[in-house]
Amino acid sequence: MSVGLAAFMLYLWFFVGFEDLFSLLSQLNLYQYSLFLALAVAALFAAVIFDSLIWHSLLDVLSVKVKLRKLVLYNWIGNFIELIIPAATIGGEIARIALSQKETKHDTGIAAATVIGSRLISTVVYSGGLLAGFLLLLFTRQLPVYLITPVILVTLGTASVIACIFLVAFKEGTVDKIVKIISFITKRVIKNPQKQESIHQRIHHGLSSFSLVFRTFKDHPHQLIKPALYAVAAWVSNLVVYLMIFYSLNFTAISLVDLATVYCIITTVETISAGIPVGAVEVTMINLFALCGVPIVIAGAATTLARLLTFWSQVIVGYPLAEWIGAKSLLKGGIKSPFHIQHPPVPH
């Protein structure tokens, strides 16, 4: 992060110019700047809340009652972990599952299914925007070559992951096959027969519960309408963050289509550059804004403000939240085994 930040500062220095940036900021109306920046912050929080509402709605389908404020807290911590750990979204999802276990009666299958289901719904919405924006930019402007291959790879990778999840959830016998493979490995690592059987039962229960939850969603597709609407609202809220940032800089010439296109591509770049969370995203963002006709100094200022809100604020706020939740878990005896066996709630 430090190296990437230094690289971004050097890029601003050589290609944008600090003098031009300071000159731009000095000409802004302080009231207008503060107002629109405050609206950007509000939109950022709204995006996290709507994203949490997706998760909350899926839990409601299973009659699992969890307070929304807890899910917002867990979501923010998950976002924090996604930003600082170079493992794309995997680290964040694991954190959300672990934190939500106690809310779902320690059933990993239910926790995992609702967390992953929430991510899938968001992914479908974001992927639709990415595909539309990518094709639009590809045919209307000269898209940088270095972006074409990564976007295609991320699209194929996302489709492959979704296919694997659906295979586990819906194909008969897949759970048993996975459990057999894991049991085969554990027998060669763990020699205690009782521990082997315990691991076998826990994994089988978790995967079976995961499959049951997804089958419930499949049998009641109308109950996915509300989460899908929340996903669209989260997407729009994230887009409003960038729009308000441009308005705070007194620049209104960028179109919503261009802004949505850049935003969708940037989320893809952020995914593929998870190992380098700072630097690559900012440079790409500035160049894409410039490609859409935004003056380079405004593109640099907008990118800096956007990353302060969407990256650094989540890191700064997420760290103490993670420490606080960790301390609370320790005081209460820690999080129980992720494969603690419980009967899942009867789905509606």
Side-chain angles (χ1 to χ4, degrees):
M1 289 170 60
S2 299
V3 173
L5 180 60
F8 175 54
M9 297 302 291
L10 288 173
Y11 182 87
L12 288 177
W13 186 13
F14 286 110
F15 296 97
V16 179
F18 285 128
E19 290 185 5
D20 291 337
L21 283 173
F22 292 140
S23 175
L24 171 67
L25 294 175
S26 65
Q27 296 172 13
L28 296 177
N29 180 290
L30 182 60
Y31 173 76
Q32 176 182 309
Y33 173 78
S34 303
L35 174 62
F36 285 116
L37 203 59
L39 291 174
V41 173
L44 177 65
F45 279 95
V48 177
I49 291 172
F50 281 124
D51 198 36
S52 303
L53 281 168
I54 304 172
W55 189 6
H56 190 265
S57 297
L58 295 181
L59 288 169
D60 274 346
V61 175
L62 305 174
S63 298
V64 178
K65 303 301 179 183
V66 183
K67 293 180 180 179
L68 178 61
R69 66 173 180 270
K70 289 187 177 181
L71 297 184
V72 172
L73 181 64
Y74 298 160
N75 238 345
W76 197 286
I77 294 173
N79 292 341
F80 162 71
I81 292 175
E82 286 176 8
L83 293 173
I84 64 170
I85 296 179
T89 62
I90 296 174
E93 305 304 357
I94 292 174
R96 292 183 183 94
I97 293 170
L99 289 169
S100 64
Q101 282 175 28
K102 57 181 178 294
E103 308 296 344
T104 56
K105 299 181 180 179
H106 303 285
D107 192 309
T108 305
I110 294 174
T114 52
V115 169
I116 294 174
S118 173
R119 174 66 69 175
L120 286 178
I121 292 172
S122 296
T123 299
V124 169
V125 172
Y126 279 69
S127 296
L130 170 64
L131 182 60
F134 178 71
L135 291 176
L136 184 64
L137 196 59
L138 186 64
F139 289 109
T140 59
R141 291 185 174 88
Q142 186 177 359
L143 189 68
V145 177
Y146 68 87
L147 282 179
I148 298 177
T149 301
V151 170
I152 294 174
L153 289 176
V154 168
T155 303
L156 293 175
T158 301
S160 300
V161 171
I162 293 175
C164 291
I165 291 172
F166 284 171
L167 185 67
V168 174
F170 302 125
K171 186 173 177 58
E172 295 288 346
T174 302
V175 170
D176 292 331
K177 290 179 181 178
I178 294 175
V179 172
K180 285 182 180 179
I181 293 173
I182 295 175
S183 297
F184 177 81
I185 296 173
T186 54
K187 285 180 180 179
R188 278 148 182 78
V189 178
I190 301 173
K191 302 303 180 182
N192 188 321
Q194 291 182 341
K195 287 185 178 181
Q196 292 175 6
E197 182 61 24
S198 176
I199 292 174
H200 176 91
Q201 291 180 1
R202 292 172 181 174
I203 294 176
H204 188 276
H205 172 78
L207 290 176
S208 297
S209 181
F210 177 89
S211 178
L212 175 62
V213 171
F214 265 83
R215 289 175 188 273
T216 301
F217 296 151
K218 179 184 176 182
D219 294 338
H220 301 80
H222 65 281
Q223 297 199 24
L224 299 180
I225 296 176
K226 186 188 292 186
L229 293 176
Y230 286 139
V232 173
W235 186 87
V236 172
S237 296
N238 279 312
L239 190 61
V240 169
V241 172
Y242 290 83
L243 184 63
M244 291 299 101
I245 286 173
F246 274 107
Y247 280 10
S248 73
L249 297 173
N250 198 28
F251 185 83
T252 59
I254 188 169
S255 71
L256 284 175
V257 173
D258 285 341
L259 190 61
T261 301
V262 172
Y263 169 66
C264 289
I265 294 177
I266 284 302
T267 55
T268 302
V269 174
E270 195 167 25
T271 299
I272 63 178
S273 63
I276 312 174
V278 182
V281 175
E282 288 81 357
V283 172
T284 304
M285 192 183 299
I286 291 175
N287 282 278
L288 284 175
F289 283 142
L291 189 65
C292 293
V294 179
I296 191 68
V297 63
I298 294 178
T303 297
T304 302
L305 290 173
R307 293 298 282 173
L308 282 173
L309 289 181
T310 61
F311 183 88
W312 291 104
S313 70
Q314 296 205 57
V315 170
I316 293 170
V317 176
Y319 178 74
L321 288 179
E323 288 289 327
W324 178 62
I325 290 295
K328 284 185 65 176
S329 297
L330 288 174
L331 290 172
K332 291 184 178 181
I335 296 176
K336 292 186 179 181
S337 167
F339 296 110
H340 183 73
I341 298 176
Q342 294 281 351
H343 293 293
V346 178
H348 292 304

